[in-house]
Amino acid sequence: MFEELIKPKPKAMFWVLALLSWLIVVLSGGDGIVSEGRRPHHINVGAIFSLNTLYGQVADIALKAAEDDVNSDPTFLPGSKLRILMYDAKRNGFLSIMKALQFMETDSVAIIGPQTSIMAHVLSYLANELNVPMCSFTALDPSLSPLQFPFFVQTAPSDLFLMRAIAEMITYYGWSDVIALYNDDDNSRNGVTSLGDELEGRRCKISYKAVLPLDVVIKTPREIVRELVKIQKMESRVIIVNTFPKTGKMVFEEARRLGMMGRGYVWIATTWMTSLLDSADPLSLPKVAESLRGVLTLRIHTPESRKKRDFAARWNKLSNGSVGLNVYGLYAYDTVWIIARAVKNLLDSGANISFSSDSKLNHLKGGSLNLGALSMFDQGRQFLDYIVKTKMSGVTGPVQFLPDRSMVQPAYDIINVVGGGLRQIGYWSNHSGLSVIPPELLFSKPSNRSSSNQHLENVTWPGGGSVTPRGWVFPNNGRRLRIGVPNRASFKDFVSRVNGSSHIDGYSINVFEAAIKLLSYPVPHEFILFGDGLKNPNYNDLVNNVTTGVFDAVVGDIAIVTKRTRIVDFTQPYIESGLVVVAPVTKLNDTPWAFLRPFTPPMWAVTAAFFLIVGSVIWILEHRINDEFRGPPRRQIVTILWFSFSTMFFSHRENTVSTLGRIVLLIWLFVVLIITSSYTASLTSILTVQQLNSPIKGVDTLISSSGRVGFQIGSYAENYMIDELNIARSRLVPLGSPKEYATALQNGTVSAIVDERPYVDLFLSEFCGFAIRGQEFTRSGWGFAFPRDSPLAVDMSTAILGLSETGKLQKIHDKWLSKSNCSNLNGSESDDDPEQLKLRSFWGLFLLCGVACFIALLIYFFKIVRDFCNHHHHKPEEEEATVPSPEVSRSKTLQTFLAYFDEKEAESSRRLKRKRSDDLSLKSS
């Protein structure tokens, strides 16, 4: 009916406008505005509500009380009286439009209402044109934007915040899927749209929207029952009811009759429920609450204050006990005061309240429609500015508007309906989220929206339970979960059909069944084979069938890889996996030369060279002072070799040499001890651990070589090698079974095979002569695939962790996969022998020893040159008398130096002393 009013047919337009004109003429009248310069005797404020509704009854009482309180103070509006003109729209959209037009014609400065968002959207266009503010505390549709409707003001928090609070509650309890049940009107529909937006930002969703007829036209529960029966068969058990009191009451009556108020269900009702219960007869409240036990609902939070208590105390007298006070009565009272303060500020500013005809309607004067009689509020924009700049303390608490016109500090009480009535379990505020502390105590503190700071009290859920429901069940449509499993042609230990029957068995199946048993609820399911069984199916296609709805889940040896995680949710991995390289290997035979294997050839060469270098350095340092380093050349060479090598075994040898030699030997001894201990450890490892040999050292060898590489049909290894390792497709050879693996490796069809570790382990347990080369070059695991955001995936992950912690997962592994027909030949080898010692690991030690030798030689040569020069200075006079040629002199000096170097130091000293004595004797004679 409302849609037809908003968008009338052209043929009917004339009659509608004619009726409007007639009503304007008939209803015109009332007090006008006094002459310029004087305050008006009466200031008219219109109000449009349906007095046969709960909101209308409460609003009527609260508005009259506020009118009396404003007018009771002669100093507030001196010389003027505020007059609230209440009009009963009787839930009729057409009458609401007509009364709004009358208010515009009878010089009303503002309109309180309308009650519904449908009429707010319609009448806001009229308010915009005639500059008459409309203030509503019930039409809280989030889509009523001040940008589109600048003269429409919501004097209570927008439902945007209500939906944000519900979304945070859903996240807090860990639910991801909800059902929204609402009336097909602007307020309910747009509220649910906002809820969907809020949930989407939290990775939750509305899985089904149950749309009911308009609250005003719904007469029987037939449509309600139809939607509830649909909901019963659905997966989600979290139901958001965003309706009006009349519809909401019918919904819960039918839900109880259908058995939907028991355990497992979660019902969250918007503010309509608290309004209904707050206004109910106190004597009947326990009975009503009992029928709604376990429901969560919300109420706009109004902090405790003296004004609120005083007004609540007056309510019974004001209402004569006809209806209880709810939060919308408080907001109705404050709305009148918002308007009254704006009137006061306008008059105190010296402005007059005047109305004039709309120039856009002047050409319509005198016509049969008489639309020119509508008046424009001349000070409307100034008056609107005073309204939105209101800052006061009312019965609802602080009243103030933010720049976007939303109410300051929006907050809600979170209520749990229990057997005795209502129990508050916490609060929500846009500042701090969920809390058990009143929001007004948190507004002065920095905002903290972290998950650890979100708290609510314990809840009594439908059915009387205290454990938070998981929020979902398997759809009650008589169908079991269709679980796809790969119909493998090889490696049937993981998944296989037993002897051609319908029974499916294997390692993966056993893990799944064991995890299912740990769930707290039954999971009826059936396995459906995917593939023909002649070759392994394509696992990407298998997983894609979950997204298309062919399967409800996929169970088997499903690798968790990035491409698949984008379309499905995986459980916790139940076995580790990763790609490895397997190749033929031969065992290195034991030989008498095994002791050479701890060192690489360069290491042996450098070590031997340093033995000779150190021996030579010691010989140079000790030749002139140590008898052990003198004698025939052959003897001296033997001495060098023996001395340097014996240092390894006789550390006391350094005691027979000079200080410089001792320093060099100590450093060399330090180097030798480290190298020797490493050599011993490496040799022990080599002799105790079996060594395998293969030209394939790991994945790097495959990349750099041109050999062909095998892979399992259906595995993601093919795409990985092409896309990530850049191995040409022409080099890849598809293989279908472990036997094909062995044959291809033995006859050289492929140089190696790349496959996942569990398959390779199973292959190596049956076929000997092969081994894993290098390390796993990818890290992943196997899991079970479910649709995105499936709650069963989370529960199954928890169950798999339980299997792991109890050891049951390992027992299943041992049952199916721990078997071997080979010795420990099938080991794993890294690219390089980890026990072989390399030169790069010891170059620092050799450098240290070399530097020590160099410094020792430098010091020694400096000393011997100095001594030779002293000795040469005291040569015989007859030698000085003979002056040879320069060439002969240099040759003779070199020969003399070498002879001096070869001479024992003691003899040189004695000869030098004898020459000095002879020189003294000659001088004295």
Side-chain angles (χ1 to χ4, degrees):
M1 180 179 70
F2 301 125
E3 289 77 1
E4 293 178 356
L5 285 174
I6 297 171
K7 298 179 180 179
K9 297 180 180 180
K11 187 176 181 180
M13 178 65 74
F14 174 79
W15 297 108
V16 172
L17 294 178
L19 181 59
L20 286 175
S21 177
W22 177 79
L23 285 173
I24 289 171
V25 174
V26 173
L27 296 175
S28 62
D31 293 337
I33 300 301
V34 298
S35 62
E36 184 176 352
R38 291 188 298 160
R39 288 178 177 251
H41 295 299
H42 294 94
I43 301 170
N44 295 335
V45 176
I48 304 175
F49 284 89
S50 297
L51 301 184
N52 60 341
T53 65
L54 175 62
Y55 295 140
Q57 294 172 21
V58 172
D60 186 35
I61 298 170
L63 294 177
K64 289 179 180 178
E67 177 187 5
D68 293 341
D69 291 346
V70 170
N71 292 329
S72 65
D73 184 358
T75 63
F76 188 78
L77 293 175
S80 299
K81 293 289 184 180
L82 189 71
R83 184 165 64 179
I84 307 295
L85 304 175
M86 174 62 73
Y87 178 74
D88 183 6
K90 298 179 181 178
R91 309 194 75 183
N92 188 298
F94 179 77
L95 293 181
S96 296
I97 295 174
M98 295 309 305
K99 195 58 187 180
L101 290 171
Q102 181 185 357
F103 287 146
M104 301 300 181
E105 193 272 334
T106 56
D107 301 342
S108 295
V109 298
I111 295 176
I112 300 176
Q115 183 172 324
T116 65
S117 294
I118 291 179
M119 296 315 305
H121 279 91
V122 175
L123 298 180
S124 290
Y125 289 104
L126 190 62
N128 290 349
E129 181 63 29
L130 300 178
N131 293 349
V132 178
M134 300 183 69
C135 301
S136 179
F137 50 87
T138 55
L140 304 178
D141 180 355
S143 68
L144 287 167
S145 167
L147 296 176
Q148 183 179 9
F149 306 115
F151 279 84
F152 183 81
V153 180
Q154 293 176 331
T155 56
S158 166
D159 280 352
L160 172 66
F161 301 105
L162 172 64
M163 297 307 163
R164 186 172 298 168
I166 293 175
E168 292 197 18
M169 290 170 60
I170 291 168
T171 304
Y172 174 79
Y173 288 115
W175 303 315
S176 59
D177 250 352
V178 303
I179 293 173
L181 192 152
Y182 60 95
N183 293 111
D184 191 18
D185 68 276
D186 288 1
N187 193 75
S188 299
R189 186 190 315 109
N190 293 331
V192 169
T193 299
S194 296
L195 176 61
D197 294 340
E198 294 290 337
L199 289 175
E200 185 177 0
R202 295 165 174 79
R203 205 182 173 186
C204 304
K205 65 178 181 180
I206 300 176
S207 58
Y208 178 69
K209 295 180 180 180
V211 184
L212 301 176
L214 293 172
D215 181 74
V216 68
V217 300
I218 192 168
K219 302 299 182 184
T220 67
R222 182 177 57 188
E223 294 86 353
I224 295 175
V225 172
R226 183 185 299 118
E227 290 298 332
L228 290 178
V229 170
K230 290 181 183 177
I231 293 173
Q232 271 188 315
K233 297 180 179 181
M234 294 179 182
E235 182 177 286
S236 177
R237 283 293 182 264
V238 182
I239 306 167
I240 314 299
V241 184
N242 187 35
T243 63
F244 296 90
K246 173 188 171 184
T247 302
K249 186 177 180 181
M250 295 174 65
V251 166
F252 281 100
E253 288 174 351
E254 296 305 317
R256 174 169 291 280
R257 190 178 63 83
L258 293 172
M260 298 176 67
M261 296 296 293
R263 290 181 182 271
Y265 282 92
V266 176
W267 293 88
I268 300 178
T270 52
T271 52
W272 67 266
M273 178 170 282
T274 48
S275 299
L276 179 65
L277 297 178
D278 289 341
S279 298
D281 182 355
L283 297 178
S284 62
L285 180 59
K287 182 179 179 180
V288 176
E290 179 63 30
S291 66
L292 299 172
R293 185 173 61 172
V295 176
L296 293 179
T297 184
L298 299 94
R299 177 198 296 127
I300 302 176
H301 177 70
T302 54
E304 291 299 322
S305 66
R306 182 175 180 179
K307 287 184 177 181
K308 177 181 175 181
R309 288 192 296 270
D310 291 345
F311 185 71
R314 295 168 52 196
W315 185 260
N316 282 336
K317 183 178 179 181
L318 293 171
S319 65
N320 294 320
S322 60
V323 64
L325 174 64
N326 61 42
V327 71
Y328 292 102
L330 301 176
Y331 276 99
Y333 184 86
D334 275 355
T335 298
V336 173
W337 276 100
I338 290 172
I339 295 174
R341 285 178 177 273
V343 170
K344 177 178 173 59
N345 290 333
L346 180 65
L347 295 177
D348 289 348
S349 70
N352 295 318
I353 297 179
S354 61
F355 294 81
S356 60
S357 59
D358 188 349
S359 59
K360 297 178 182 178
L361 302 177
N362 285 339
H363 66 284
L364 298 177
K365 284 185 177 180
S368 59
L369 297 180
N370 200 25
L371 294 177
L374 298 177
S375 300
M376 176 183 290
F377 185 12
D378 296 330
Q379 293 78 30
R381 293 190 179 277
Q382 184 180 359
F383 184 58
L384 173 66
D385 189 54
Y386 284 126
I387 289 177
V388 298
K389 288 183 178 179
T390 298
K391 189 174 183 180
M392 71 177 195
S393 178
V395 294
T396 61
V399 178
Q400 187 178 351
F401 296 93
L402 297 175
D404 64 354
R405 298 275 192 90
S406 62
M407 298 294 290
V408 68
Q409 299 174 350
Y412 292 86
D413 301 331
I414 300 177
I415 309 295
N416 183 203
V417 183
V418 294
L422 306 181
R423 183 171 70 89
Q424 186 157 336
I425 61 171
Y427 307 88
W428 178 90
S429 72
N430 201 40
H431 175 75
S432 55
L434 301 173
S435 173
V436 294
I437 301 173
E440 53 269 22
L441 301 180
L442 300 174
F443 289 138
S444 60
K445 300 178 181 179
S447 177
N448 186 351
R449 303 298 294 272
S450 64
S451 57
S452 61
N453 199 52
Q454 306 298 293
H455 303 287
L456 291 175
E457 301 287 355
N458 293 333
V459 176
T460 299
W461 300 102
S466 59
V467 178
T468 302
R470 67 175 184 270
W472 65 277
V473 295
F474 290 103
N476 184 21
N477 51 19
R479 183 175 67 84
R480 296 183 174 188
L481 243 63
R482 294 168 54 87
I483 298 179
V485 296
N487 191 7
R488 296 195 57 88
S490 61
F491 294 108
K492 294 189 175 183
D493 296 77
F494 297 106
V495 178
S496 64
R497 176 190 291 180
V498 178
N499 298 327
S501 66
S502 60
H503 179 62
I504 310 298
D505 203 1
Y507 169 69
S508 300
I509 301 299
N510 280 188
V511 172
F512 177 79
E513 295 288 6
I516 286 291
K517 292 179 181 178
L518 293 183
L519 301 181
S520 59
Y521 49 89
V523 182
H525 60 276
E526 59 178 334
F527 294 118
I528 301 175
L529 291 171
F530 178 79
D532 56 14
L534 301 178
K535 63 178 182 179
N536 295 332
N538 186 295
Y539 277 48
N540 289 333
D541 293 343
L542 175 59
V543 173
N544 284 334
N545 280 335
V546 175
T547 64
T548 59
V550 176
F551 297 132
D552 299 310
V554 167
V555 170
D557 45 338
I558 314 297
I560 304 174
V561 295
T562 304
K563 180 179 179 181
R564 296 170 187 169
T565 58
R566 295 192 182 106
I567 59 175
V568 297
D569 280 352
F570 279 96
T571 62
Q572 173 82 13
Y574 62 88
I575 188 174
E576 292 184 358
S577 179
L579 293 179
V580 294
V581 178
V582 61
V585 293
T586 57
K587 182 179 178 182
L588 293 177
N589 297 326
D590 295 332
T591 68
W593 305 103
F595 71 91
L596 296 176
R597 289 172 58 191
F599 285 174
T600 60
M603 183 69 179
W604 278 116
V606 173
T607 303
F610 261 84
F611 272 112
L612 297 178
I613 292 171
V614 171
S616 301
V617 170
I618 296 299
W619 179 84
I620 293 172
L621 297 176
E622 302 296 324
H623 176 67
R624 301 188 69 247
I625 60 176
N626 196 327
D627 290 337
E628 291 190 26
F629 292 86
R630 301 190 64 80
R634 182 176 180 182
R635 177 187 172 186
Q636 293 187 47
I637 292 174
V638 172
T639 300
I640 290 173
L641 296 175
W642 169 248
F643 199 90
S644 59
F645 281 97
S646 65
T647 305
M648 296 174 56
F649 311 103
F650 306 105
S651 59
H652 65 277
R653 296 300 301 251
E654 71 272 9
N655 297 326
T656 65
V657 299
S658 63
T659 301
L660 280 177
R662 189 177 297 115
I663 292 173
V664 173
L665 282 177
L666 286 174
I667 294 175
W668 176 237
L669 178 62
F670 172 71
V671 174
V672 168
L673 287 176
I674 293 178
I675 294 176
T676 303
S677 60
S678 300
Y679 173 87
T680 304
S682 179
L683 181 61
T684 301
S685 176
I686 288 174
L687 295 178
T688 55
V689 178
Q690 185 171 257
Q691 302 296 304
L692 306 176
N693 184 42
S694 172
I696 303 297
K697 299 299 183 183
V699 66
D700 292 336
T701 308
L702 292 184
I703 296 174
S704 60
S705 69
S706 59
R708 306 188 76 186
V709 183
F711 67 91
Q712 184 184 168
I713 296 174
S715 170
Y716 76 95
E718 177 186 13
N719 290 334
Y720 185 88
M721 286 189 285
I722 295 172
D723 299 335
E724 303 297 332
L725 303 183
N726 295 320
I727 296 178
R729 188 183 297 272
S730 58
R731 291 178 54 195
L732 302 183
V733 178
L735 302 171
S737 67
K739 186 175 181 180
E740 290 184 21
Y741 281 18
T743 302
L745 290 170
Q746 288 169 349
N747 61 24
T749 302
V750 296
S751 58
I753 290 174
V754 172
D755 205 351
E756 296 175 68
R757 184 64 184 256
Y759 299 125
V760 171
D761 288 341
L762 199 59
F763 165 71
L764 295 178
S765 69
E766 182 179 355
F767 294 91
C768 308
F770 312 99
I772 296 172
R773 306 299 293 168
Q775 305 298 322
E776 293 184 17
F777 54 92
T778 65
R779 296 286 181 183
S780 62
W782 289 355
F784 306 133
F786 291 88
R788 294 298 299 269
D789 301 321
S790 170
L792 185 56
V794 178
D795 290 352
M796 286 294 289
S797 293
T798 304
I800 290 172
L801 289 175
L803 291 176
S804 178
E805 291 171 357
T806 59
K808 183 64 180 294
L809 192 61
Q810 184 62 43
K811 291 180 180 178
I812 299 174
H813 179 277
D814 295 343
K815 172 186 174 182
W816 289 95
L817 306 180
S818 293
K819 55 186 178 180
S820 178
N821 297 327
C822 304
S823 65
N824 60 353
L825 174 65
N826 296 328
S828 177
E829 287 287 309
S830 63
D831 294 354
D832 298 302
D833 191 341
E835 281 75 28
Q836 197 170 39
L837 302 176
K838 302 172 183 62
L839 178 60
R840 63 174 178 266
S841 302
F842 297 92
W843 71 268
L845 292 174
F846 287 121
L847 178 63
L848 176 65
C849 186
V851 170
C853 292
F854 175 77
I855 294 175
L857 288 175
L858 189 64
I859 294 173
Y860 176 76
F861 277 110
F862 176 79
K863 176 178 178 297
I864 197 171
V865 169
R866 185 194 62 184
D867 292 345
F868 172 75
C869 291
N870 291 336
H871 172 77
H872 189 68
H873 178 72
H874 295 282
K875 62 183 179 179
E877 293 181 357
E878 57 273 16
E879 294 181 9
E880 293 178 354
T882 306
V883 182
S885 64
E887 291 80 4
V888 175
S889 176
R890 284 194 294 270
S891 176
K892 188 171 181 66
T893 301
L894 179 59
Q895 292 176 3
T896 304
F897 176 76
L898 293 176
Y900 178 79
F901 178 78
D902 187 56
E903 186 179 30
K904 191 173 181 180
E905 185 175 358
E907 295 178 1
S908 300
S909 299
R910 285 196 298 271
R911 186 169 63 254
L912 181 60
K913 289 179 181 179
R914 187 169 60 251
K915 289 181 179 181
R916 288 178 177 174
S917 177
D918 292 344
D919 290 344
L920 290 174
S921 298
L922 290 173
K923 288 180 180 180
S924 61
S925 60

